[in-house]
Amino acid sequence: MKFSHSWHRYRKTILALFFCTSLTAAQAVDFMPVNDVTTGMEGIAKTVIVGDTISTFDVKVLGVMKDKGPSGHLILAKFSGPIMEQTGGIAHGMSGSPVYINGKLVGAVAYGWGFADGTIGMITPIEDMVKLWNIPYEKNLSKPWDDTQLIPLGTPLMAYGFDAASMDYFKSKLPQYKYETYDTASASGDEIAKPLEAGGSVAALLVDGDLKLGAIGTVTYVDGEKIVAFGHPFLKHGSSNYFMHNASIFTVVKSYNAAFKLGSMGQEVGSVTEDRGAGIAGVSGVIAHGIPLRFHLKDRDMGRDKTSSVKVVEDSEMTPTLAATSLYNMLNKTLDRSGSGTATISYTITPKGKEHKPLTRTNMFYSADSISEKAVDEFYNVIDVLMNNRFINYEIADITVETEVTQDKKTAKLIDASASSTVVSPGDTIVVDVTLEPFRGEKVVKQIFFKVPEDQAIGKYTLEVRGGGEIPLPYVLEKQKYNLTDEILRRLKIHKDFNELYDEIQKTDTNNQIVVEFLEDGISLVDEDGSKSVKKAKIKDVESKPMPGDVQKKTGQEDLSSGKDDDKKIEKTAVDTEYIVQGDGQFTIHVMKPADRDKELAKRVKEVKNQIKMEHKLELEDQAKKDKADKKEAKKSDKKDVKDSPKKESKEADKKGESKVDGTNSAE
């Protein structure tokens, strides 16, 4: 670990020296204010079409669009020259291309018209872009940007190492960004850190390491270690910490919608610190830490064992999706198949600082459709809840994941259960024998010891026995009764503080557990009189995007509370199994004072004894009746035999006589 830290410090030092040495020789460039720009002015723009070579194309100013951009004015221009003929017009990835008129830097090519050809576009003034180095600046905007006809020369995402299914998953989690993603490759020299220069390519990455995901654009201006690029927002997240990389262009791909640069994302050279209306700003030589993720994945069927690592940007909106997408993709690659299976996933999320301990959870999942996607659902939700909780700024230092997958269906039905006693006192232990029937397997019996809480109130309760991923039937009926939507359930859920939320996440039931717990009789999520008070209950399947402070457990339960009786914990006992347990059942349990319990048990014992005696008496009576009937039948049989005996003897004599005569005649 000491070596690792030392290497990072050494690498940062080398990068800083490299960029300082390379950039001190750069000549300062004068700016041309937008107020000095007039119709008919001509100039050039710089960009890369292939590799790292900077090319130029012609620019002619058509006019100035007052307050049409997200940061102020835009300059309308016509682009021409051999480069435009080659590419068919300005392309995605050219955003940020610096425009010079009379040797002065005017701004960056940044926008196009939705209904025009690709040779007409808009330029973001450089004076607005360099304000990114001195945030905040947007307070002085005359009006918000609301022109829907302006289309940023976009930042299609280049995806290295991701498959199509993973990118579909990624886009489904962040539909608001309307991402276009394209597969890309690595290029020779990607591992070499090169200084950024105006007109050269730059990449802003969201994922780095064994996988890469980011946008490629053009550098507009460099001032020492500071750079500005793109000329329009990437994600418009304001202050940010993306990974800034070199980029190399393979080619410009012509498309029916819009051409785009296809390139590789090379060596990390710094960090993007601002992402706002006028573009992105970054610092060379300062490497963003991000959140490291380490994966260890096993395919038990094929004997595959793979490890990989990435780092993702630290962002409350983006991180959960980026982490889950990376895991999803690595699972797909390890399995090399799609479809059904059972996954066991264990992950540890380590926070920065020592105030909170690392959170570790292990769970099992089965899917008949896509086990890779099913396995990452909870992982995504937990990260989302932690980073978006309403109590504290939860910063993640590190995430590790261990996953084993098999195509076998490792599920079991809970088909029977028996309780040692249904009459108890506080502090007593109830022994529950649970019979499981695994899928295509032999029945298994699990014994669970449930201790009645010492402070359990006297009364009648329902003892629930269920799989950890099941919800009790009374709660299902309650949800149906009041037509409770997921939105309502989210609003009902309240946590007192972060520690309570954190504790709940860590202790939430897992799908491979058998859970025994008391349910509160007469449970209700809402009062009949329409008041807002809500008793404690558990409901699963809240919506896929929990509100801050909520916990989504698609296969588990949700604790809903108004704060009433929050200090009283629902006692339960959980036992792990090697199966995903399905089904539930209930017992009615009477909790009594010890004296009353003993009387009741004695009474029940006496009743049982009396019942046994009665059953024995009835058995004796039945046996006596049977014996009597048998004797009667025997007597009837004897009388019949006596009556028929003379006739029988006569017949036998006649037969003997006939036989004798016949024998004599025969001899004769």
Side-chain angles (χ1 to χ4, degrees), residues 186-421:
S186 60
S188 300
D190 275 351
E191 70 282 359
I192 301 173
K194 293 168 285 189
L196 300 175
E197 57 180 321
S201 298
V202 65
L205 269 65
L206 305 175
V207 180
D208 192 13
D210 292 337
L211 304 171
K212 291 183 179 181
L213 183 68
I216 294 177
T218 304
V219 178
T220 306
Y221 179 61
V222 178
D223 183 4
E225 75 282 0
K226 299 182 295 184
I227 73 110
V228 287
F230 285 23
H232 61 70
F234 173 26
L235 304 175
K236 207 173 184 180
H237 279 193
S239 295
S240 59
N241 213 10
Y242 311 145
F243 316 126
M244 190 165 73
H245 283 233
N246 288 134
S248 181
I249 306 304
F250 297 128
T251 186
V252 174
V253 179
K254 293 183 179 181
S255 169
Y256 177 79
N257 294 324
F260 63 92
K261 289 184 181 181
L262 181 65
S264 68
M265 296 165 283
Q267 184 63 40
E268 186 173 10
V269 294
S271 58
V272 175
T273 57
E274 296 294 334
D275 177 9
R276 299 179 185 269
I280 64 171
V283 181
S284 298
V286 178
I287 303 302
H289 179 266
I291 299 177
L293 288 90
R294 296 186 299 275
F295 305 122
H296 182 200
L297 312 175
K298 295 181 180 179
D299 182 341
R300 290 166 55 183
D301 303 322
M302 301 300 293
R304 296 192 180 102
D305 190 319
K306 292 187 177 183
T307 59
S308 60
S309 62
V310 299
K311 68 174 181 176
V312 300
V313 295
E314 188 172 6
D315 180 89
S316 58
E317 182 183 38
M318 302 288 295
T319 299
T321 296
L322 296 173
T325 301
S326 299
L327 175 57
Y328 181 29
N329 185 81
M330 291 301 185
L331 280 170
N332 285 345
K333 286 193 170 184
T334 302
L335 299 180
D336 193 24
R337 68 174 179 84
S338 59
S340 65
T342 303
T344 301
I345 176 171
S346 178
Y347 53 92
T348 298
I349 301 173
T350 304
K352 294 179 181 178
K354 298 182 179 180
E355 184 178 356
H356 299 285
K357 296 180 180 179
L359 184 147
T360 298
R361 271 186 64 78
T362 301
N363 208 345
M364 285 182 69
F365 302 94
Y366 171 76
S367 174
D369 302 316
S370 174
I371 185 55
S372 294
E373 184 171 351
K374 187 70 172 178
V376 304
D377 279 344
E378 181 188 277
F379 180 67
Y380 165 84
N381 291 325
V382 170
I383 297 174
D384 189 39
V385 168
L386 288 174
M387 296 193 73
N388 290 287
N389 78 86
R390 62 189 178 90
F391 302 107
I392 67 170
N393 178 25
Y394 186 84
E395 296 181 289
I396 299 175
D398 179 75
I399 300 174
T400 59
V401 182
E402 297 266 349
T403 303
E404 287 192 6
V405 183
T406 176
Q407 202 161 3
D408 295 340
K409 186 176 182 179
K410 303 287 287 185
T411 64
K413 295 283 188 182
L414 196 160
I415 60 172
D416 192 25
S418 61
S420 59
S421 178

Side-chain angles (χ1 to χ4, degrees), residues 111-122:
Y111 297 94
W113 286 108
F115 53 83
D117 64 42
T119 62
I120 297 177
M122 276 66 69

Side-chain angles (χ1 to χ4, degrees), residues 313-605:
V313 295
E314 188 172 6
D315 180 89
S316 58
E317 182 183 38
M318 302 288 295
T319 299
T321 296
L322 296 173
T325 301
S326 299
L327 175 57
Y328 181 29
N329 185 81
M330 291 301 185
L331 280 170
N332 285 345
K333 286 193 170 184
T334 302
L335 299 180
D336 193 24
R337 68 174 179 84
S338 59
S340 65
T342 303
T344 301
I345 176 171
S346 178
Y347 53 92
T348 298
I349 301 173
T350 304
K352 294 179 181 178
K354 298 182 179 180
E355 184 178 356
H356 299 285
K357 296 180 180 179
L359 184 147
T360 298
R361 271 186 64 78
T362 301
N363 208 345
M364 285 182 69
F365 302 94
Y366 171 76
S367 174
D369 302 316
S370 174
I371 185 55
S372 294
E373 184 171 351
K374 187 70 172 178
V376 304
D377 279 344
E378 181 188 277
F379 180 67
Y380 165 84
N381 291 325
V382 170
I383 297 174
D384 189 39
V385 168
L386 288 174
M387 296 193 73
N388 290 287
N389 78 86
R390 62 189 178 90
F391 302 107
I392 67 170
N393 178 25
Y394 186 84
E395 296 181 289
I396 299 175
D398 179 75
I399 300 174
T400 59
V401 182
E402 297 266 349
T403 303
E404 287 192 6
V405 183
T406 176
Q407 202 161 3
D408 295 340
K409 186 176 182 179
K410 303 287 287 185
T411 64
K413 295 283 188 182
L414 196 160
I415 60 172
D416 192 25
S418 61
S420 59
S421 178
T422 57
V423 177
V424 296
S425 290
D428 287 355
T429 296
I430 302 174
V431 181
V432 181
D433 291 321
V434 179
T435 303
L436 300 178
E437 187 175 55
F439 179 75
R440 295 178 179 173
E442 299 294 327
K443 293 179 182 178
V444 178
V445 177
K446 295 285 185 179
Q447 196 169 69
I448 304 170
F449 298 88
F450 175 77
K451 183 178 180 181
V452 180
E454 298 285 353
D455 61 348
Q456 186 70 41
I458 304 303
K460 185 171 70 173
Y461 298 89
T462 298
L463 185 66
E464 172 81 7
V465 182
R466 60 177 174 80
E470 300 289 321
I471 62 171
L473 180 60
Y475 298 143
V476 175
L477 298 177
E478 185 71 14
K479 183 178 180 181
Q480 294 173 348
K481 175 182 177 182
Y482 292 105
N483 192 29
L484 295 172
T485 64
D486 292 336
E487 175 66 21
I488 293 174
L489 296 178
R490 285 194 302 110
R491 293 181 181 276
L492 291 176
K493 188 172 182 62
I494 295 176
H495 290 96
K496 291 188 298 185
D497 53 35
F498 180 78
N499 290 333
E500 183 179 85
L501 169 65
Y502 199 78
D503 187 61
E504 180 183 326
I505 295 173
Q506 196 150 36
K507 295 181 179 179
T508 296
D509 307 328
T510 59
N511 299 324
N512 60 308
Q513 289 179 328
I514 301 172
V515 179
V516 178
E517 65 182 340
F518 273 146
L519 303 183
E520 186 178 350
D521 282 354
I523 193 71
S524 181
L525 303 177
V526 296
D527 285 353
E528 295 288 352
D529 61 4
S531 66
K532 294 182 179 180
S533 62
V534 184
K535 295 182 180 180
K536 187 176 289 291
K538 299 175 189 281
I539 294 291
K540 73 171 182 177
D541 290 336
V542 298
E543 69 175 22
S544 60
K545 181 71 175 175
M547 294 289 286
D550 289 351
V551 179
Q552 181 192 16
K553 293 161 279 185
K554 284 194 171 184
T555 56
Q557 301 177 346
E558 291 300 324
D559 289 344
L560 307 177
S561 173
S562 65
K564 184 178 180 181
D565 297 330
D566 278 349
D567 293 333
K568 181 175 176 56
K569 295 182 179 179
I570 300 297
E571 297 294 336
K572 64 183 177 183
T573 299
V575 174
D576 292 342
T577 74
E578 58 182 359
Y579 306 101
I580 296 168
V581 181
Q582 302 168 334
D584 69 336
Q586 299 85 30
F587 299 98
T588 299
I589 302 295
H590 298 264
V591 180
M592 303 177 176
K593 295 179 180 179
D596 295 335
R597 173 203 60 193
D598 294 341
K599 289 180 182 179
E600 180 64 24
L601 288 176
K603 177 182 176 182
R604 293 194 177 192
V605 169

Side-chain angles (χ1 to χ4, degrees), residues 623-654:
Q623 188 62 44
K625 289 179 180 178
K626 184 179 179 182
D627 292 344
K628 186 176 181 180
D630 290 344
K631 288 180 180 180
K632 187 175 181 181
E633 187 64 29
K635 287 181 179 180
K636 287 182 179 179
S637 178
D638 291 342
K639 288 181 179 180
K640 184 177 181 182
D641 291 343
V642 171
K643 184 176 181 181
D644 295 341
S645 180
K647 295 180 179 179
K648 184 177 181 182
E649 292 175 356
S650 175
K651 288 181 179 179
E652 290 178 351
D654 292 340

